[in-house]
Amino acid sequence: MTNPTATLLISCPDQQGLVAKIANFIYSNGGNIIHADQHTDFAAGLFLTRIEWQLSGFNLPRDLIGPAFNAIAQPLGAKWELHFSDTIPRIAIWVSRQDHCLFDLIWRHRAKEFIAEIPLIISNHNSLKPIAEQFGIDYHYIPITKENKAEQEIQQLELLQKYNIDLVVLAKYMQIVSEEFITKFPQIINIHHSFLPAFIGANPYHRAFERGVKIIGATAHYATTDLDAGPIIEQDVVRVSHRDTVEDLIRKGKDLERIVLARAVRSHLQNRVLVYGNRTVVFE
Amino acid sequence: MTNPTATLLISCPDQQGLVAKIANFIYSNGGNIIHADQHTDFAAGLFLTRIEWQLSGFNLPRDLIGPAFNAIAQPLGAKWELHFSDTIPRIAIWVSRQDHCLFDLIWRHRAKEFIAEIPLIISNHNSLKPIAEQFGIDYHYIPITKENKAEQEIQQLELLQKYNIDLVVLAKYMQIVSEEFITKFPQIINIHHSFLPAFIGANPYHRAFERGVKIIGATAHYATTDLDAGPIIEQDVVRVSHRDTVEDLIRKGKDLERIVLARAVRSHLQNRVLVYGNRTVVFE
Amino acid sequence: MTNPTATLLISCPDQQGLVAKIANFIYSNGGNIIHADQHTDFAAGLFLTRIEWQLSGFNLPRDLIGPAFNAIAQPLGAKWELHFSDTIPRIAIWVSRQDHCLFDLIWRHRAKEFIAEIPLIISNHNSLKPIAEQFGIDYHYIPITKENKAEQEIQQLELLQKYNIDLVVLAKYMQIVSEEFITKFPQIINIHHSFLPAFIGANPYHRAFERGVKIIGATAHYATTDLDAGPIIEQDVVRVSHRDTVEDLIRKGKDLERIVLARAVRSHLQNRVLVYGNRTVVFE
Amino acid sequence: MTNPTATLLISCPDQQGLVAKIANFIYSNGGNIIHADQHTDFAAGLFLTRIEWQLSGFNLPRDLIGPAFNAIAQPLGAKWELHFSDTIPRIAIWVSRQDHCLFDLIWRHRAKEFIAEIPLIISNHNSLKPIAEQFGIDYHYIPITKENKAEQEIQQLELLQKYNIDLVVLAKYMQIVSEEFITKFPQIINIHHSFLPAFIGANPYHRAFERGVKIIGATAHYATTDLDAGPIIEQDVVRVSHRDTVEDLIRKGKDLERIVLARAVRSHLQNRVLVYGNRTVVFE
């Protein structure tokens, strides 16, 4: 689909006629739906849907789509987001010393696996600066200590603002982001190198080895103020055995981290992820 | 959902307004949609959808739903099926000497993993008759030879008719069903013990061993006149190694066969499988 | 291998010449090794090995193999177990109300997927008695309450003794076995319906649903006095999505539980599992 | 293990005392075994083993290890290879237009996931030259046509000789290497973007889409004169659905190709792969 599309992500109390009312809104305005998926959580009494249609031939100008849909959404008590496929989101990648997720995201970006701009890398170390230069991405070195964390986060927030960042990807940043920060900038995807909720916190591979698990995993989730407890977007696992040392777990885990983080970022950028409570619906 | 539902499976040429028109049909008649999923195959220019709604409170009597929907379907050039959740489908399980898939289907049936009646087992051997008796299912022993195949298939068809069978499950039947038979009774799900299209035909595990593959699989598909080439409903795989003998592949494969066949039968019985061309859409 | 074999499971401090000394012991007595595998945990400085050889043509009578090998093992500081393949282990299966693991183990036993005798089923409910009768296995109903637990466990131990049980399989027993019991009878394999260490304790599927995980798992482990923290023998997982209700997780999980428990029991019965610390080596 | 090791890969007719004789050879010369694994293919009557020991403290000088072991190997009718861990193998990566496997191998090499030198990239296109320059690897552009193939292969062979290449990795080279070439330089690992033996030859993803498979795979194998039929080293798969277009299969497949090829190359470089007949033993 090269011609631009609009996508509505909607969640509202389950009730009769939702599919019809939403579809009619698109159809009556001459829109051609290219993707529609919905999910009803009967336990929660919640209806969630993603609907995408082509803008060419759609009768409403862009700036009127929101207000027009809102007239329908209000009486339904619906929460909704509207996205346009040609509005390119801007990503800041935060890293520490490890480069595998950074390299992977950059390669996928070049391969057009996801459509975004990556103007900014932030790190608490200098080690990955050469990669940033190699690919022409601004690199800001912001070391973190217990003492300076608060003020450094202010600097980080200023950078996100300056670069008009829509999404922060913690690509093995290995630092806890403060509650204050997340409250001010909630759009953060983190990759945790374990099959959450197993091994929350530090050194999951070492603890997985000590526990003698036969499978290890990785989890991509939205960062929340509760450590490693945010809504899970994607997880995957790989089999290990007694022959695998901690180093082997780390090596095998890197492949998981790259793929799981990439899938989560891609789903998010395609507006396929809808969060409700502490859960996600990922529309395929 | 204990109260009965109606399900429409629809495929038609892609065009504007399909979601709206179909949803309106349900909504305008007071139906409460509990599942709706659609897929557009842009290459084929085809729109495929599954929509399920509660019958309680629906204004149309059952016998008018079809005709009423047909008035909408005709101008769209849509093909459609209508199913009611309280019409219990009747299954005939066909087996040869191996009992694992038979046992598994019977257990899942007792565990209510799928809703159906299993009044009939047909086999070209006598070996599994005790299982049939144990669970009170009629068992018909119909030996097959090159010479008698044609007439035996007539007998098999008569049994399917007599027992009002809706679906034949080839649970390791190990015999090729003739073109004539399939033409007369097309609703047949087969489990093939390989990751199709690898190892079509006989002795797939032996050939998998000889080929030295590192993964084996199983495939559930609708039987067609073209051997092992019918529309695939479900597949799964398991890792093997040089340590696995042919016997190990057979043992590991049995777990795959059971699970893959059960998933396919369950999806079919829930009217989640839509065939187009030689492909299936399995609505989750 | 129909003719009987002997298997040594050995763990000892890593040092030079271990492979040679052990192999020489077999070879010099005319033994034909059919399986040998070893693992060195360099972190723990521990050498672990499994070696299996044919008894036909072996010069030492069975009752002298142990003492003879001990003369080699002592100076090495080795711990060892000796098993003969024609000594059939006896299993007691403990169940509660769910039948899927019980059915599965019985089917696999009949299919000769593992060699053992299953003379005894113990349950805190009466519901599965018909299955026991159907397959001619003694069924003992031992209800458990906070008050009677201690005395009931004495009765359970007496039954294990009376039936000469070598291994207890907790096939969804859903009761915690006391420290006293485990100390007196340590050979217990449990299936836990989560990907441990995630969701230790009760209702793992409900908690997995609440946590919104994208993958669920099952874990077979040796029971220890520390709840769900014993050495892990086998784990496996299956992908789930937002469409899966708690009931779906339970249904999908049952397939995992059956397969994971069966693999663990089979490995244990083939003397392929060596426990050290809280970890297992599973020799393939 | 930073201090150098020697590794023997041995295959010979199964007979008594093999483990003892081989282990004694190492032990009697003061070697400390750090890895030993063996496999017996009873059907083929073949014993295969990998044994690795530390060279420090080993009494035999390197140049005498081979001759000394040969004295033992001859009477056993054994075929064997001897490798030293500090002899760094040299790899030539062959590519066409796609860069994902090339990038991946270079990244893993930098991350020390495998120990080798990568002095040479050969391609039938110029497109990936910038990557070669970026990482300081010589890049030779050798276009291939039906007419010039024979002479170009001579040039390719000269380059392999000039650069002292031990292993050619076809990282999506998309060209068939001639029988003559393979006969002269047999050490070639190829990645095929399907789950072999399914979809041998061209456009496997398109054919997988047409066949409507629910799982796609990738296969790393040694190139032989028989197209896509060489000994399989590693395979892996990923689930797909009706929602996946051919482009989605290609994108998902790239992740498989990278991981499967990397695992195969790593196992080969660690001398863990033993080929017999058309099968491989991959010692973990």
Side-chain angles (χ1 to χ4, degrees):
Chain A
M1 302 298 102
T2 49
N3 59 39
T5 63
T7 300
L8 272 168
L9 280 173
I10 308 164
S11 62
C12 73
D14 191 23
Q15 54 201 284
Q16 274 191 32
L18 290 171
V19 179
K21 284 170 182 165
I22 295 163
N24 284 336
F25 169 71
I26 313 295
Y27 178 49
S28 59
N29 288 294
N32 188 29
I33 294 170
I34 61 170
H35 178 268
D37 194 6
Q38 47 264 117
H39 173 60
T40 307
D41 184 327
F42 292 102
L46 209 60
F47 173 84
L48 310 114
T49 188
R50 179 190 191 274
I51 193 153
E52 181 176 8
W53 69 95
Q54 293 167 327
L55 284 166
S56 69
F58 196 59
N59 301 335
L60 288 175
R62 293 188 182 208
D63 56 345
L64 292 192
I65 296 175
F69 182 72
N70 203 38
I72 295 161
Q74 286 297 344
L76 300 174
K79 278 184 280 170
W80 56 277
E81 304 168 25
L82 177 65
H83 301 276
F84 298 112
S85 64
D86 53 7
T87 309
I88 310 302
R90 295 167 62 81
I91 301 177
I93 301 177
W94 291 26
V95 293
S96 190
R97 278 202 191 81
Q98 296 182 56
D99 64 3
H100 58 288
C101 287
L102 175 62
F103 252 128
D104 190 65
L105 288 170
I106 291 172
W107 174 81
R108 291 180 195 272
H109 179 244
R110 286 162 47 118
K112 306 207 172 357
E113 285 197 9
F114 53 81
I115 306 306
E117 281 168 19
I118 307 178
L120 173 63
I121 296 172
I122 290 179
S123 178
N124 58 330
H125 292 282
N126 250 323
S127 18
L128 303 188
K129 188 164 191 179
I131 298 173
E133 286 163 345
Q134 176 180 320
F135 293 99
I137 305 171
D138 291 1
Y139 186 94
H140 289 263
Y141 166 50
I142 304 181
I144 305 288
T145 64
K146 272 204 200 62
E147 296 62 33
N148 71 5
K149 183 163 187 168
E151 63 200 70
Q152 296 294 67
E153 284 196 337
I154 293 167
Q155 204 189 321
Q156 292 169 328
L157 280 166
E158 286 168 355
L159 281 168
L160 299 185
Q161 213 158 20
K162 178 182 160 208
Y163 283 86
N164 294 309
I165 296 304
D166 301 296
L167 175 70
V168 166
V169 177
L170 303 179
K172 306 287 289 178
Y173 178 56
M174 315 307 275
Q175 292 280 326
I176 294 168
V177 179
S178 78
E179 188 162 339
E180 295 67 28
F181 187 98
I182 294 173
T183 317
K184 289 183 187 130
F185 193 96
Q187 289 287 64
I188 306 171
I189 293 176
N190 180 46
I191 180 72
H192 185 74
H193 43 307
S194 89
F195 182 73
L196 289 174
F199 309 121
I200 288 167
N203 301 319
Y205 290 130
H206 291 77
R207 287 150 63 205
F209 178 83
E210 283 152 23
R211 182 60 187 94
V213 295
K214 301 301 187 184
I215 289 174
I216 57 169
T219 306
H221 64 94
Y222 289 110
T224 60
T225 57
D226 193 354
L227 180 64
D228 298 336
I232 293 169
I233 306 167
E234 170 68 342
Q235 301 185 291
D236 211 340
V237 297
V238 66
R239 192 162 274 276
V240 296
S241 83
H242 60 270
R243 297 187 183 278
D244 291 300
T245 62
V246 172
E247 291 62 39
D248 293 321
L249 300 194
I250 291 169
R251 174 177 49 79
K252 290 184 172 184
K254 282 178 176 176
D255 282 334
L256 283 177
E257 295 163 22
R258 293 194 287 190
I259 285 171
V260 168
L261 179 58
R263 285 186 197 147
V265 168
R266 187 170 187 274
S267 297
H268 175 91
L269 293 175
Q270 294 187 339
N271 306 302
R272 297 184 176 280
V273 188
L274 192 45
V275 176
Y276 72 104
N278 199 43
R279 310 166 53 72
T280 63
V281 170
V282 181
F283 294 109
E284 280 143 15
Chain B
M1 303 296 103
T2 50
N3 59 38
T5 64
T7 300
L8 273 168
L9 280 173
I10 308 163
S11 62
C12 72
D14 192 24
Q15 53 202 288
Q16 274 191 33
L18 290 171
V19 179
K21 285 170 183 165
I22 295 163
N24 284 335
F25 169 72
I26 314 295
Y27 178 49
S28 58
N29 289 295
N32 188 29
I33 295 170
I34 62 171
H35 177 268
D37 194 7
Q38 46 264 118
H39 173 60
T40 308
D41 183 327
F42 291 102
L46 209 60
F47 173 84
L48 309 115
T49 187
R50 179 189 190 275
I51 193 153
E52 181 177 9
W53 70 95
Q54 292 167 326
L55 284 166
S56 69
F58 196 59
N59 301 334
L60 288 175
R62 293 189 182 207
D63 56 344
L64 291 191
I65 296 175
F69 182 72
N70 204 39
I72 295 160
Q74 286 297 343
L76 301 174
K79 278 182 281 169
W80 57 276
E81 304 167 26
L82 176 64
H83 301 277
F84 298 112
S85 64
D86 52 7
T87 309
I88 310 304
R90 295 168 63 81
I91 302 177
I93 302 177
W94 292 25
V95 293
S96 191
R97 278 202 191 81
Q98 297 181 55
D99 65 2
H100 58 288
C101 287
L102 175 62
F103 253 129
D104 190 65
L105 289 169
I106 291 172
W107 175 80
R108 291 181 197 272
H109 180 244
R110 287 161 48 116
K112 305 209 176 353
E113 285 198 7
F114 53 80
I115 305 307
E117 282 167 18
I118 308 179
L120 174 63
I121 296 172
I122 290 179
S123 177
N124 58 330
H125 292 283
N126 250 322
S127 19
L128 303 188
K129 189 165 190 177
I131 298 172
E133 285 162 345
Q134 176 181 320
F135 293 98
I137 305 171
D138 291 1
Y139 186 94
H140 289 263
Y141 166 50
I142 303 180
I144 304 287
T145 63
K146 274 204 198 63
E147 295 64 31
N148 70 5
K149 183 162 187 168
E151 62 200 72
Q152 296 294 66
E153 285 196 336
I154 293 167
Q155 204 190 320
Q156 293 170 328
L157 280 166
E158 286 167 358
L159 281 168
L160 299 186
Q161 215 159 19
K162 179 183 161 206
Y163 283 87
N164 293 309
I165 297 304
D166 301 295
L167 175 70
V168 166
V169 177
L170 303 179
K172 305 288 289 178
Y173 178 55
M174 315 308 274
Q175 292 279 326
I176 294 168
V177 179
S178 78
E179 188 160 342
E180 294 66 28
F181 187 98
I182 294 173
T183 316
K184 289 184 187 130
F185 193 97
Q187 290 287 63
I188 305 171
I189 293 176
N190 180 46
I191 179 72
H192 185 74
H193 42 307
S194 90
F195 182 65
L196 288 174
F199 309 120
I200 288 168
N203 301 318
Y205 290 130
H206 291 76
R207 287 150 62 206
F209 179 83
E210 282 151 25
R211 183 61 187 91
V213 294
K214 301 301 187 185
I215 289 174
I216 57 169
T219 305
H221 63 93
Y222 289 110
T224 60
T225 57
D226 193 355
L227 181 63
D228 297 336
I232 293 170
I233 306 167
E234 170 67 344
Q235 300 185 291
D236 211 341
V237 297
V238 66
R239 193 164 274 278
V240 295
S241 83
H242 60 271
R243 295 186 185 280
D244 291 299
T245 62
V246 172
E247 292 62 41
D248 293 320
L249 300 195
I250 291 168
R251 175 177 49 79
K252 290 184 172 183
K254 282 178 176 176
D255 282 334
L256 284 178
E257 295 163 21
R258 294 194 288 189
I259 285 171
V260 168
L261 179 58
R263 285 185 195 147
V265 168
R266 187 171 187 274
S267 297
H268 175 92
L269 293 174
Q270 294 187 338
N271 306 303
R272 296 184 176 280
V273 188
L274 193 44
V275 176
Y276 71 104
N278 199 43
R279 310 165 53 75
T280 64
V281 171
V282 181
F283 294 110
E284 282 142 14
Chain C
M1 305 293 105
T2 50
N3 58 40
T5 64
T7 299
L8 272 168
L9 280 173
I10 308 164
S11 61
C12 72
D14 191 26
Q15 54 201 286
Q16 274 190 34
L18 289 171
V19 179
K21 284 169 182 165
I22 296 163
N24 284 335
F25 168 73
I26 314 295
Y27 179 49
S28 60
N29 289 294
N32 187 30
I33 294 170
I34 62 169
H35 178 267
D37 193 7
Q38 47 264 118
H39 172 61
T40 308
D41 183 328
F42 291 103
L46 207 61
F47 172 85
L48 310 114
T49 187
R50 178 189 191 274
I51 193 154
E52 181 175 8
W53 69 95
Q54 294 168 324
L55 283 166
S56 69
F58 196 60
N59 301 333
L60 288 175
R62 293 188 181 207
D63 58 342
L64 291 193
I65 296 175
F69 181 72
N70 203 38
I72 296 162
Q74 284 297 344
L76 301 173
K79 277 184 281 172
W80 57 276
E81 304 167 25
L82 177 65
H83 302 277
F84 299 111
S85 63
D86 52 6
T87 309
I88 311 302
R90 294 166 63 81
I91 302 177
I93 301 177
W94 292 26
V95 292
S96 190
R97 277 200 192 84
Q98 297 181 56
D99 65 2
H100 57 288
C101 287
L102 175 62
F103 253 127
D104 190 66
L105 288 170
I106 291 172
W107 175 80
R108 291 179 196 273
H109 180 244
R110 288 161 46 115
K112 304 207 174 359
E113 285 197 8
F114 53 81
I115 305 307
E117 281 167 18
I118 308 178
L120 174 64
I121 296 172
I122 289 179
S123 180
N124 59 330
H125 291 283
N126 250 323
S127 19
L128 302 189
K129 189 163 190 179
I131 298 173
E133 286 162 345
Q134 176 181 322
F135 294 98
I137 305 172
D138 291 1
Y139 186 94
H140 289 263
Y141 167 49
I142 303 181
I144 304 287
T145 64
K146 274 204 197 64
E147 295 63 33
N148 71 5
K149 184 165 185 166
E151 63 198 71
Q152 295 296 66
E153 284 195 337
I154 292 167
Q155 203 189 322
Q156 291 169 330
L157 279 166
E158 285 168 357
L159 281 168
L160 299 186
Q161 215 159 19
K162 178 181 161 209
Y163 283 86
N164 294 309
I165 298 304
D166 301 295
L167 174 70
V168 166
V169 178
L170 304 178
K172 305 287 289 177
Y173 178 55
M174 314 306 276
Q175 291 281 324
I176 295 168
V177 179
S178 78
E179 187 161 344
E180 295 67 28
F181 187 98
I182 294 173
T183 318
K184 289 184 187 129
F185 192 96
Q187 290 287 63
I188 306 172
I189 292 177
N190 180 47
I191 180 71
H192 184 74
H193 42 307
S194 88
F195 182 70
L196 289 174
F199 308 121
I200 288 168
N203 301 320
Y205 290 130
H206 290 75
R207 287 151 63 206
F209 178 83
E210 283 152 25
R211 182 62 187 93
V213 294
K214 301 301 186 184
I215 290 173
I216 57 170
T219 305
H221 63 94
Y222 289 110
T224 59
T225 57
D226 194 354
L227 180 63
D228 298 335
I232 293 170
I233 306 167
E234 171 67 344
Q235 300 184 291
D236 211 340
V237 296
V238 65
R239 192 163 276 277
V240 295
S241 83
H242 60 271
R243 297 188 184 277
D244 291 300
T245 62
V246 172
E247 291 63 40
D248 293 320
L249 300 194
I250 290 168
R251 175 177 48 80
K252 290 184 173 183
K254 282 178 176 176
D255 282 334
L256 283 178
E257 295 163 21
R258 294 194 286 190
I259 285 171
V260 168
L261 179 58
R263 285 186 196 146
V265 168
R266 187 169 187 273
S267 297
H268 175 91
L269 292 175
Q270 294 187 339
N271 305 303
R272 296 184 175 280
V273 188
L274 194 43
V275 176
Y276 72 102
N278 199 44
R279 310 167 52 74
T280 63
V281 171
V282 181
F283 294 111
E284 284 143 16
Chain D
M1 304 294 104
T2 50
N3 58 36
T5 64
T7 300
L8 272 168
L9 279 173
I10 309 164
S11 62
C12 73
D14 191 25
Q15 54 201 286
Q16 275 192 32
L18 289 171
V19 179
K21 284 170 183 165
I22 296 164
N24 284 336
F25 168 73
I26 314 296
Y27 179 48
S28 60
N29 289 294
N32 187 30
I33 295 169
I34 62 168
H35 177 267
D37 192 7
Q38 47 263 117
H39 173 61
T40 308
D41 183 327
F42 291 102
L46 207 62
F47 173 84
L48 310 113
T49 187
R50 177 188 190 275
I51 193 155
E52 180 176 9
W53 70 95
Q54 293 167 324
L55 283 165
S56 70
F58 195 59
N59 300 333
L60 288 175
R62 292 188 182 208
D63 58 341
L64 291 192
I65 297 175
F69 181 71
N70 203 39
I72 296 161
Q74 284 298 341
L76 301 173
K79 279 183 281 171
W80 57 277
E81 306 167 23
L82 177 64
H83 301 278
F84 298 112
S85 64
D86 53 6
T87 309
I88 310 303
R90 296 167 61 81
I91 302 178
I93 301 177
W94 292 26
V95 293
S96 189
R97 279 201 190 84
Q98 297 181 58
D99 65 3
H100 58 288
C101 286
L102 176 61
F103 253 127
D104 190 66
L105 288 170
I106 290 172
W107 175 80
R108 290 180 195 274
H109 180 243
R110 286 161 47 118
K112 303 207 176 357
E113 285 197 10
F114 53 80
I115 305 306
E117 281 167 19
I118 308 178
L120 173 63
I121 296 172
I122 290 178
S123 179
N124 59 330
H125 292 283
N126 249 323
S127 19
L128 302 188
K129 189 163 190 179
I131 298 173
E133 285 163 346
Q134 175 181 323
F135 293 98
I137 305 172
D138 292 0
Y139 186 93
H140 289 262
Y141 167 49
I142 303 181
I144 304 287
T145 63
K146 274 202 198 65
E147 294 64 33
N148 72 5
K149 183 163 185 167
E151 63 199 71
Q152 296 295 67
E153 284 197 336
I154 292 167
Q155 203 190 323
Q156 292 169 329
L157 279 167
E158 286 168 356
L159 281 168
L160 299 186
Q161 214 159 20
K162 177 183 162 208
Y163 282 87
N164 293 310
I165 297 304
D166 301 294
L167 174 71
V168 166
V169 178
L170 304 179
K172 305 287 289 178
Y173 178 55
M174 315 307 276
Q175 291 280 326
I176 294 168
V177 179
S178 79
E179 187 161 343
E180 295 67 29
F181 187 98
I182 294 173
T183 316
K184 289 184 188 129
F185 192 96
Q187 290 286 65
I188 305 172
I189 292 177
N190 181 46
I191 180 71
H192 184 74
H193 43 307
S194 89
F195 181 74
L196 289 175
F199 308 121
I200 288 169
N203 302 318
Y205 290 130
H206 290 76
R207 286 150 63 205
F209 178 83
E210 283 151 26
R211 182 62 187 93
V213 294
K214 301 301 186 183
I215 290 174
I216 57 169
T219 305
H221 63 93
Y222 289 110
T224 60
T225 57
D226 194 354
L227 179 63
D228 297 334
I232 294 170
I233 306 167
E234 171 67 340
Q235 300 184 292
D236 211 340
V237 297
V238 67
R239 192 164 276 276
V240 296
S241 83
H242 60 271
R243 297 188 183 277
D244 291 300
T245 61
V246 172
E247 291 63 39
D248 294 320
L249 300 194
I250 290 169
R251 175 177 48 80
K252 289 184 173 183
K254 282 178 176 176
D255 282 334
L256 283 178
E257 295 163 22
R258 294 194 287 190
I259 284 172
V260 168
L261 179 58
R263 285 186 196 147
V265 168
R266 186 169 188 273
S267 297
H268 175 91
L269 292 175
Q270 294 187 338
N271 306 303
R272 295 183 176 281
V273 188
L274 215 171
V275 176
Y276 72 103
N278 199 44
R279 308 166 54 73
T280 63
V281 171
V282 181
F283 294 111
E284 283 141 15

